[in-house]
Amino acid sequence: MKKFLKNILVFFLLALIVGEIVVRMTHTMSDIPQRTIDEHGIQKYYPNQDGYWKGGDHKWDINKLGWPGELPQSYDNIIMVIGDSFIENFMNPNECHQSVFLKQNLESYNFMEAGRSGVSLIEAMEISKNLDSLKPVKTLVYVNDNDFYESIVEVKPMQDITQLNLKSNTIVYGEMKAPVFKKILYNWKLLYYFYTRFPLNSTSDVKEEPAIKKVENKSGLKSKAEVSQLIEYIIENYNVSNKTFVFHPKTNTEIIELCKQAGINIITLDSSKDNKSWTFDYDRHWTCYGHEQVAKQIANALSKS
């Protein structure tokens, strides 16, 4: 009996080792970079990481400042690009990042990205405040409806996302959920594979794909009073004179109008006249083509401003 159990154990261990090797060599699961929270309460990535996206067709890189993508060769005449998973852009190679396409269209400027899955508008403003030390000539903040809603505790409370508490008029910084468990999970690829296929519960927040926020319809703005308070807080607490909100296609027009009325610079993206989709067939993130078209529209708008 002991010999049988020993053989079972040996077989099990060998299966784990072989399974781990196969999953890693075939890049069945995407490599996930490890996060940290800096002294300003901003969630970013540990510097100088790299890894493969699912399938192994391309790698992602985390630069020395803790953000995905490559840093500019010069910080002179720099424009910041801030946003969520659309700017993080792990699903595309580095040459398809916004900063690359923007540089191609606006050669006299340099561009730096600060993107992370799950960034709310209020956290984007906190990031921009931190990056103002680099003296950017302009900061582009990419947003959609839910970036506003998820910025407000009273509208959509989320512990792991930085939000504004309207009652106390204070920033509530996000906390990382189960960091030790996630570190084990992301480094043990076979376990990660089985976890994503057979999650412990349907509400688990450990996901392979970057978080993507559902875009609301153009009409029927919910929580208008709270959104107005959020915009008012932003106007009063951040330097918005050199900030431009870049609104995703199909963003609620009432939110756009509220930002206009508050005096915030805006650019509205429009994909409706394009005969080719900006997004993946299986995902609403932008493809390389989508990023290229977005950059062209932004460059065109900036050239006219």
Side-chain angles (χ1 to χ4, degrees):
M1 185 65 177
K2 288 183 178 179
K3 184 176 181 181
F4 174 75
L5 292 175
K6 182 180 179 181
N7 289 338
I8 289 294
L9 179 60
V10 170
F11 176 80
F12 180 71
L13 291 174
L14 287 174
L16 285 179
I17 293 171
V18 172
E20 183 73 12
I21 292 172
V22 170
V23 169
R24 286 179 178 270
M25 290 185 66
T26 59
H27 302 291
T28 303
M29 308 303 295
S30 298
D31 295 322
I32 305 296
Q34 300 300 310
R35 291 188 189 184
T36 184
I37 298 179
D38 70 11
E39 66 273 19
H40 305 289
I42 295 171
Q43 290 188 46
K44 55 171 63 173
Y45 296 110
Y46 286 109
N48 303 317
Q49 300 180 67
D50 61 30
Y52 284 94
W53 184 244
K54 186 175 181 178
D57 292 332
H58 68 270
K59 294 181 71 174
W60 49 258
D61 297 282
I62 304 299
N63 58 50
K64 66 180 181 181
L65 296 183
W67 299 112
E70 299 176 354
L71 291 173
Q73 294 182 352
S74 170
Y75 291 94
D76 294 335
N77 215 25
I78 193 167
I79 294 178
M80 296 296 170
V81 177
I82 300 176
D84 57 15
S85 55
F86 282 81
I87 302 304
E88 180 185 66
N89 200 14
F90 286 151
M91 66 291 303
N92 289 311
N94 282 343
E95 59 265 27
C96 291
H97 275 235
Q98 273 293 287
S99 57
V100 176
F101 289 124
L102 286 167
K103 179 66 174 177
Q104 291 174 4
N105 286 275
L106 298 166
E107 295 182 1
S108 60
Y109 295 95
N110 293 300
F111 296 87
M112 176 184 156
E113 296 180 359
R116 198 203 73 242
S117 178
V119 165
S120 63
L121 170 58
I122 200 67
E123 185 172 9
M125 298 309 298
E126 287 288 293
I127 294 170
S128 74
K129 182 172 67 176
N130 180 251
L131 293 177
D132 278 346
S133 60
L134 296 176
K135 299 180 180 179
V137 295
K138 191 176 291 292
T139 296
L140 304 173
V141 181
Y142 292 61
V143 290
N144 61 39
D145 297 9
N146 271 303
D147 292 311
F148 288 80
Y149 302 142
E150 293 183 355
S151 292
I152 306 169
V153 170
E154 288 80 0
V155 174
K156 199 170 183 179
M158 301 179 75
Q159 187 180 1
D160 57 336
I161 289 180
T162 295
Q163 297 184 301
L164 173 65
N165 186 312
L166 294 177
K167 292 181 180 178
S168 61
N169 215 36
T170 56
I171 298 292
V172 181
Y173 293 99
E175 301 175 358
M176 290 190 293
K177 292 184 179 179
V180 175
F181 172 66
K182 286 183 178 180
K183 187 172 184 178
I184 295 172
L185 196 62
Y186 293 154
N187 284 283
W188 188 356
K189 298 297 183 184
L190 185 61
L191 177 63
Y192 186 25
Y193 173 80
F194 283 119
Y195 184 87
T196 57
R197 295 301 180 271
F198 311 103
L200 298 177
N201 60 72
S202 60
T203 59
S204 171
D205 69 329
V206 180
K207 300 177 181 178
E208 178 184 358
E209 306 297 334
I212 185 166
K213 304 164 186 176
K214 183 179 179 181
V215 179
E216 304 291 329
N217 294 327
K218 286 192 174 183
S219 59
L221 172 62
K222 64 179 182 181
S223 309
K224 184 174 182 177
E226 288 84 357
V227 171
S228 296
Q229 284 182 262
L230 169 66
I231 294 172
E232 182 179 344
Y233 180 90
I234 289 172
I235 294 295
E236 293 177 353
N237 290 274
Y238 303 94
N239 174 21
V240 297
S241 61
N242 68 338
K243 308 291 189 298
T244 298
F245 287 2
V246 179
F247 287 96
H248 287 223
K250 299 181 181 179
T251 299
N252 192 301
T253 54
E254 288 187 65
I255 291 180
I256 296 174
E257 191 57 35
L258 287 172
C259 291
K260 277 184 181 179
Q261 292 173 4
I264 297 173
N265 303 311
I266 70 165
I267 295 174
T268 55
L269 301 173
D270 183 6
S271 61
S272 63
K273 298 177 182 178
D274 204 325
N275 59 9
K276 184 177 179 181
S277 176
W278 288 7
T279 63
F280 294 97
D281 293 335
Y282 56 88
D283 187 293
R284 291 200 305 276
H285 285 98
W286 296 325
T287 61
C288 287
Y289 175 81
H291 274 279
E292 184 177 18
Q293 301 312 305
V294 168
K296 285 181 178 179
Q297 290 193 13
I298 292 172
N300 184 53
L302 293 180
S303 297
K304 293 178 179 179
S305 62

